[in-house]
Amino acid sequence: MPDLPLNGCAPIPLAHYLKALGILRLVSEQVDPTATAFWKDDRFFLNSTLDRDGLTDFFLNTYKPTAVLAPWNGGGGFYFREGKSKEKDEATGKLRKTGLRDQQTSATKTVAAIVESRCERMEPLRETIEKSKTVLASMGLNEAPKEELKEVLLNRLRNVLPDEAIGWMDATIILGTSKVGYPPLLGTGGTDGALDFTNNFMQRINEVINSTTGLPSTESPSWLRSALFSEPSPGNSTKSPIGQFFPGAAGGANATSGFDAPSTVNPWDFILMIEGAVLFAAASVKKLDSLGSGALIYPFCVRQAAVGYASAAGADEVDARCEMWMPMWDRPVSLMELRSIFGEGRAQVRGRPARTGVDFSQAVVTLGVDRGIASFQRFGFQIRNGLAYFATPLARIPVRRQIRADLLADIEVWHDRLRQKAAPSANSNAPASVTRALQQLERRMIELCRDGGSGTLQAVLAALGAAERSIAHSFRWTGENHIQPLRGLSARWISDANDGSPEFRLALSLASIRAPLGKETFWLRQNLEPVDIGFTKDRAWTKWADLPGNDVVWQDGHFTDALHSILRRRIIRFEKAGMSGWADVAARFACLDDITAFIEGRVNEDLLADLLWGLACVDPKALSMLPEAPPAGLQRPRVSPGGAEQYVVPSAFYALLKLCHHRLPRDEDPIPLVPAILNRAMSGDGTAASQLASRRLNASGRRPLVRELPVTGVTARRTAAAIIFPISHQDFSRLEKAITHQTETNP
């Protein structure tokens, strides 16, 4: 048979997704066991022995409703309401209650109509109701039980009800080792606030099927065609509740052209939605070596992460029940295969179950979910209408391998600890800056899982830097919560996040700076935050310093000011260690073109700062072993009209200052440091700085071509900050040739 498109079934809203599952389940179980289905262009396609008319005829005339009921709920239709006498209570002025539960409700009337029916189609539902009533009578229950008694009732029902009813129970209630658990898809044991799904299911059944004759009602055909094929039909809905599954039909304020609108639902939409929800059976599992209570496991269900969608807010994470990732597949799948997919719907991230939406996004792209699934539609069960929960569609995530997402393994432990202590749902005293940085990091992580490009990975790296800076600036809170500094990023972060931008190259050159000061190696990261860094042949380590000193001089604000502070402190350390000249070395050099762009203000300094913090977290051993030569093509010579190569160099003022602040080869005498040179330039007095630099070079045997340069203000300050960028010996020689007298040698 050709594939039958069901235009009424779509991934959004959740009600229509569940409806699609219900159609495949019912057709497979009651008509054609070989039926298959798949998603294409946001439509559901069914392949079975039924054509369009045959499918319609099946649901109208032979479909047998599943035994969906909840004898444990007060609104399930199994308990009468307590009556009231005609006498009033003197204290409250209200009618006194009689103490007798003998008043019919709409729910009990619905159940009674099912029991009194004699048509064959209602037999499974009728039989289950009668067996449930027998259990309730044996326990003497005339009202919904609570706590321990409720658990006793549930266990007895599991022992006597037919298998199809047990399937519904597994989708709504979990009997754990300590207490009853409620899977999130179907509310609290089959109820969503005052809405009882089971009783509404039976009411909708009575609307589409005559319980006496088993024939379809007058409106049932038009309702069904609308539900299956999205055919327009007048009056294709009734004023009935739909619950959390279809926010657009839930009614309420501003839901219509007037002030308010009632909740409306196509009865067949509701029926098939509940039939599809039966596939979601939960489980309570417990590791053998664990003494704690069992963990509730639900197919493709994780804790809410308030990131990765346009309306994300921290309150979503605090109040949400959960989020669910509904699988979509683009090849024909049978009911047996689908049950297997849902039965094993445990997304894995590097060998452990996904716990949050951020985890799940990683599982999707790192082969943690490998069942032929094409994409996932992400839903959050969030408070969106007063206190009501809605299944809110968040995002569509394609299932494709993203190699760069593997790098998130480097931050897994650190990120997990930070999330435990700083997520909006953690109810902690985390500083707002830390929580914001965490949310920004998780947004970037989800974007990486979607895109996987080097620019997206670089955004993750920058977000990591911002997060590390936030915890370093909240040092007391960080220590109280035992959060360690981020460390151990592999060298792949450098190669895979390099988008060829000046900001990345400059940040990498800064992050690789270190000064060998006797037995100690003084890293530039130690000017950013109070850490001890070291490595041996076998391992490397980074930890919070036991006794934070005065080396941490980073200041938020202008990046130029931060570099000034770092330069001053490093010069002090060089002098204190007895170094006669500049002591810094680097594994990766900045090119003169990029330094010129920095001096002229043509780089994004906020990004540069975040990337510096992020790259500083790369494993120190990996940083120290980077190729010493600058990457090919960074410092390209420019060809003059005569054909000679000419290298672009920054200003003469920069050249003067840099010649005084560079580590020379061991066979050359170092140029002694004169702190006043940079201090004058940092204050904006470039003229005085150039004079001092010229004198220092003359005293060191290098004859500068200029004695002073009229540089002031911002240019002088930015040039002073640029001195910290390490350059290669070749570029140093080019600067020297450009600004000093060269001795002519005979050929």
Side-chain angles (χ1 to χ4, degrees), residues 634-684:
L634 291 189
Q635 186 64 33
R636 293 190 180 94
R638 298 184 182 179
V639 181
S640 66
E645 291 185 349
Q646 293 182 342
Y647 284 86
V648 175
V649 298
S651 66
F653 180 60
Y654 169 81
L656 273 180
L657 268 57
K658 190 60 180 177
L659 292 186
C660 298
H661 302 88
H662 181 75
R663 186 184 180 99
L664 298 178
R666 291 184 179 180
D667 58 350
E668 296 186 30
D669 294 332
I671 299 176
L673 290 174
V674 179
I677 296 175
L678 284 183
N679 287 336
R680 294 293 178 85
M682 291 174 189
S683 68

Side-chain angles (χ1 to χ4, degrees), residues 116-144:
E116 293 169 1
S117 69
R118 286 296 172 261
C119 67
E120 182 183 356
R121 300 178 66 180
M122 297 294 185
E123 181 60 28
L125 189 53
R126 182 170 58 247
E127 177 186 354
T128 306
I129 292 174
E130 291 173 343
K131 288 185 177 181
S132 299
K133 284 179 172 284
T134 301
V135 173
L136 296 178
S138 68
M139 294 180 63
L141 293 175
N142 61 358
E143 62 179 319

Side-chain angles (χ1 to χ4, degrees), residues 281-297:
S284 184
V285 299
K286 180 180 176 182
K287 291 184 178 180
L288 294 178
D289 58 352
S290 172
L291 297 179
S293 60
L296 182 62
I297 304 297

Side-chain angles (χ1 to χ4, degrees), residues 685-700:
D685 188 357
T687 302
S690 63
Q691 292 173 347
L692 291 174
S694 179
R695 293 172 192 168
R696 177 67 272 170
L697 292 175
N698 268 314
S700 301

Side-chain angles (χ1 to χ4, degrees), residues 244-502:
Q244 60 189 347
F245 303 104
F246 196 168
N254 299 320
T256 184
S257 57
F259 293 103
D260 192 43
S263 175
T264 60
V265 62
N266 180 327
W268 276 110
D269 277 348
F270 192 95
I271 292 167
L272 296 174
M273 173 189 77
I274 296 299
E275 294 281 11
V278 174
L279 282 175
F280 288 83
S284 184
V285 299
K286 180 180 176 182
K287 291 184 178 180
L288 294 178
D289 58 352
S290 172
L291 297 179
S293 60
L296 182 62
I297 304 297
Y298 207 62
F300 303 115
C301 179
V302 289
R303 291 197 298 269
Q304 173 79 45
V307 292
Y309 53 98
S311 62
D316 291 346
E317 192 165 323
V318 175
D319 299 327
R321 283 176 176 163
C322 70
E323 64 180 51
M324 294 187 69
W325 293 59
M326 298 304 187
M328 298 176 62
W329 55 98
D330 55 8
R331 63 174 181 83
V333 169
S334 67
L335 178 61
M336 182 179 297
E337 292 174 302
L338 191 60
R339 287 189 186 278
S340 177
I341 290 174
F342 280 91
E344 299 177 6
R346 322 284 191 251
Q348 297 285 316
V349 184
R350 292 176 283 277
R352 66 166 177 82
R355 294 186 288 265
T356 68
V358 178
D359 285 347
F360 206 106
S361 65
Q362 296 179 61
V364 167
V365 299
T366 56
L367 300 185
V369 176
D370 186 15
R371 278 290 188 176
I373 298 172
S375 62
F376 284 90
Q377 177 61 51
R378 182 184 178 199
F379 289 92
F381 289 79
Q382 302 169 345
I383 293 178
R384 281 291 187 267
N385 182 20
L387 296 178
Y389 284 92
F390 280 161
T392 308
L394 303 181
R396 182 79 57 80
I397 309 295
V399 176
R400 64 168 67 101
R401 188 75 170 95
Q402 301 288 12
I403 300 297
R404 289 186 174 93
D406 293 344
L407 290 172
L408 297 179
D410 292 351
I411 67 171
E412 181 174 4
V413 175
W414 179 85
H415 167 247
D416 191 55
R417 181 65 179 177
L418 185 60
R419 162 161 270 281
Q420 289 178 25
K421 298 299 181 180
S425 58
N427 296 321
S428 68
N429 60 342
S433 60
V434 176
T435 299
R436 286 195 301 270
L438 171 64
Q439 290 182 296
Q440 175 70 357
L441 170 61
E442 293 187 333
R443 277 193 290 271
R444 299 304 181 214
M445 291 169 68
I446 290 181
E447 289 171 3
L448 174 65
C449 294
R450 289 179 186 165
D451 176 81
S454 61
T456 316
L457 180 63
Q458 185 185 112
V460 175
L461 184 62
L464 281 172
E468 178 69 11
R469 186 164 70 244
S470 71
I471 65 172
H473 290 178
S474 306
F475 196 66
R476 180 176 178 181
W477 175 86
T478 299
E480 291 173 350
N481 289 278
H482 308 289
I483 297 174
Q484 296 300 315
L486 178 60
R487 58 186 183 271
L489 300 186
S490 68
R492 265 193 63 197
W493 284 85
I494 297 174
S495 59
D496 287 19
N498 189 350
D499 64 345
S501 65

